[in-house]
Every structure is written in structure tokens, then in C-alpha cells.
Amino acid sequence: MKSLIITNNPAVAERKDNMLFVDGSVEETLIKVRDLVHEGYELISHPLAASLRMMFSPFRSVILGKKSTKVDSFSAEIIEESIIKYKRHMDFRKRDTANAEDYKMIDLILLEAALDEQPVTW
């Protein structure tokens, strides 16, 4: 089974198959991921950025895995806590739109690295 990529990054949308594009903010992207996790998908990549500086990025891509008939409680807990943490950080800071093109490429590079590390079969 192929993974499902949830992203608001146009650079990812142009290059990747099996992708769901969210025309919105990082928070809206995380909420879409949460909704899909509650439908039975599991998280493959962590929904939060790898560094505090990347938290200010206006783009986020998250990899989801196979869909099950039941909710993966571990994935549900991670995405719920990630949304809370994201909101907490962004209440005091603004997205860095001045460097949007750089953030698009960094998000794409991080996504490709995560996809390369993912097992071929599940």
C-alpha cells in the first residue's frame, strides 16, 4: 500500500502522487490529518516540524499509512497534542511568509527523506 500525503505545500502537490492537497494553513492541514486519523489512518511521519524555526513555516506535509477499521489511539493522541502545541506556539508568533519559497523546498526535502526511510512493504 502506498502512503497518503496530506500537504498544503504546492511544491509537494506538483511532484507527488497519492496526495491530498489542503488549500489552507498549517493548522487546517493538521486538522485534516486529525480527521483522517479518526477515520482509521495511521501516522507515518510526525505532524510537527523537526525544529522550532520550522514551526514558523507556512507549509506542512504529513505522511499517513494504511487505513484500518479502528482508530489508532497512538496516532490520535499524537495529532491531537500536535495541534494543541502548534496553536500554543503560534499564538505568540507569526508565520514566516517572507521566506515562503525556502520553506516550500525544505518541506519537500524533509518529506522526500521521510518517504525514502519508509519501509517498502508493510
Side-chain angles (χ1 to χ4, degrees):
M1 174 191 166
K2 281 189 150 184
S3 38
L4 175 63
I5 301 167
I6 312 303
T7 187
N8 70 336
N9 184 345
V12 171
E14 292 173 2
R15 298 177 131 186
K16 298 295 176 187
D17 296 328
N18 215 22
M19 181 269 321
L20 177 64
F21 184 74
V22 176
D23 189 15
S25 66
V26 169
E27 184 176 343
E28 291 169 310
T29 303
L30 295 176
I31 290 169
K32 183 62 179 177
V33 169
R34 181 201 59 202
D35 294 347
L36 291 169
V37 165
H38 284 282
E39 289 178 16
Y41 285 91
E42 65 180 343
L43 285 171
I44 299 298
S45 66
H46 199 283
L48 288 182
S51 70
L52 185 58
R53 184 71 190 136
M54 284 301 295
M55 186 75 77
F56 309 130
S57 170
F59 304 105
R60 185 68 35 85
S61 299
V62 180
I63 305 169
L64 297 179
K66 59 187 172 187
K67 184 175 181 181
S68 175
T69 55
K70 62 181 181 174
V71 175
D72 177 46
S73 60
F74 184 67
S75 292
E77 184 177 345
I78 288 174
I79 187 60
E80 294 289 352
E81 289 180 9
S82 295
I83 292 170
I84 292 167
K85 287 177 184 175
Y86 179 78
K87 286 181 180 180
R88 187 179 319 138
H89 280 284
M90 298 313 288
D91 279 348
F92 302 103
R93 297 174 173 96
K94 293 181 181 178
R95 292 180 308 147
D96 182 1
T97 55
N99 297 301
E101 291 303 313
D102 292 335
Y103 282 122
K104 280 182 191 177
M105 295 315 302
I106 292 169
D107 181 64
L108 177 61
I109 291 166
L110 291 172
L111 174 68
E112 288 176 340
L115 289 170
D116 287 345
E117 291 179 7
Q118 179 179 324
V120 177
T121 58
W122 303 23

